[in-house]
Amino acid sequence: MNQTQVYARASCIDQLPNATYDYVYLGPPCYEDANNISLEIGGSGVDTTKPSTYRTEFLERFIPLLKPRLGTITISWTGDRRNSGRILPKNFYAMSTMFKNGYYLKSAKYALKTTGVNLYSSNIINILTFQNESIEGKYNLRKKKLYSTYGLDLWGPFNFNKEIIVSGEVVGQPPVIAQRCINVFTDAKDVVLDPFAGIGTTLEMARRLDRGYVGFEIRREVWEYGKTKYRLL
């Protein structure tokens, strides 16, 4: 596989078995998009009225498909989401799924996206990095003296007040989050995979840090916006 490859308007499911990559950085999709992926990989779909189906029908079916050479996977998302008067515990679902698949929690960081009020989603971004129990992986916190950035437990605020909305969907994260993680868990020339690339923020940070990248984004309008913003492949 090309070291800098983007599969636009393509699902990652068919291509993942043939992909070669060292590290995974991803923001798992929302419940609605996860439903489509669940059906594609043989699940019965994700039902927003039954929050646990996000774990059983999406995460537990998708995570085993990821096989990074370094054994390191970072999940970065706003985590717990408010829906119908309840909190959907996505962080709990992610942790239980990763532990079940032979990973341990290597690092937990938190980023304050904005100090504003959001009635539907948390303004705290959870950055959870998991390491495969049988693979050592890389950890450049000491080697590259990244204490002043990645070493902090709470990052931001990043004043990410103006959300990027494409075709009615909120996309993108503060780029510095992916940048810090890629710096710590990979070296130059390693390949970063983002299976839900969105507008390409992760891929652009990988490019700037002299890493290869592989990305997938099935939503045409989202990727076209990303091509204009970052000029990726």
Side-chain angles (χ1 to χ4, degrees):
M1 176 170 290
N2 195 307
Q3 297 292 294
T4 55
Q5 181 66 54
V6 176
Y7 291 85
R9 299 184 298 281
S11 168
C12 61
I13 303 303
D14 292 337
Q15 299 291 341
L16 275 178
N18 302 317
T20 301
Y21 48 93
D22 300 294
Y23 166 66
V24 177
Y25 180 97
L26 75 155
C30 65
Y31 276 64
E32 294 78 6
D33 291 337
N35 176 65
N36 297 328
I37 297 171
S38 169
L39 295 173
E40 189 176 353
I41 54 181
S44 58
V46 174
D47 185 347
T48 56
T49 66
K50 300 177 180 177
S52 63
T53 58
Y54 189 89
R55 173 173 55 86
T56 59
E57 299 303 320
F58 168 59
L59 286 174
E60 290 186 357
R61 293 175 180 272
F62 179 75
I63 291 300
L65 301 178
L66 300 175
K67 300 184 184 303
R69 185 181 64 85
L70 296 174
T72 312
I73 297 176
T74 295
I75 296 177
S76 177
W77 57 3
T78 50
D80 303 336
R81 174 184 172 190
R82 302 174 182 92
N83 185 66
S84 302
R86 66 171 68 186
I87 297 294
L88 306 181
K90 295 197 297 182
N91 282 325
F92 168 74
Y93 295 155
M95 288 188 185
S96 60
T97 300
M98 296 302 291
F99 298 158
K100 183 177 180 180
N101 282 275
Y103 287 80
Y104 66 90
L105 183 61
K106 186 176 185 69
S107 173
K109 303 294 181 179
Y110 306 92
L112 183 58
K113 183 169 64 172
T114 174
T115 56
V117 176
N118 189 323
L119 297 178
Y120 301 101
S121 180
S122 171
N123 282 323
I124 298 293
I125 298 175
N126 300 263
I127 307 124
L128 307 175
T129 298
F130 300 88
Q131 184 65 41
N132 189 295
E133 293 276 6
S134 61
I135 305 174
E136 183 176 354
K138 295 179 180 178
Y139 193 54
N140 294 324
L141 185 64
R142 294 179 183 148
K143 184 172 70 174
K144 294 187 177 180
K145 298 182 179 179
L146 300 171
Y147 293 105
S148 63
T149 54
Y150 191 90
L152 299 171
D153 290 327
L154 179 62
W155 303 349
F158 292 118
N159 297 319
F160 203 66
N161 294 301
K162 186 174 178 56
E163 294 180 321
I164 301 172
I165 300 177
V166 181
S167 298
E169 295 187 65
V170 177
V171 296
Q173 285 190 8
V176 68
I177 297 177
Q179 181 186 51
R180 290 181 182 181
C181 293
I182 293 169
N183 244 337
V184 167
F185 296 108
T186 68
D187 291 325
K189 308 305 180 184
D190 285 340
V191 178
V192 178
L193 167 71
D194 187 345
F196 310 111
I199 61 173
T201 302
T202 302
L203 311 184
E204 173 65 8
M205 294 304 103
R207 184 187 69 79
R208 292 184 187 183
L209 293 170
D210 195 27
R211 273 67 166 174
Y213 56 81
V214 178
F216 299 86
E217 179 49 56
I218 200 168
R219 298 165 296 177
R220 180 180 62 82
E221 296 85 357
V222 171
W223 180 248
E224 290 300 321
Y225 179 93
K227 278 205 312 184
T228 301
K229 182 176 179 62
Y230 291 128
R231 298 181 181 177
L232 294 163
L233 295 175

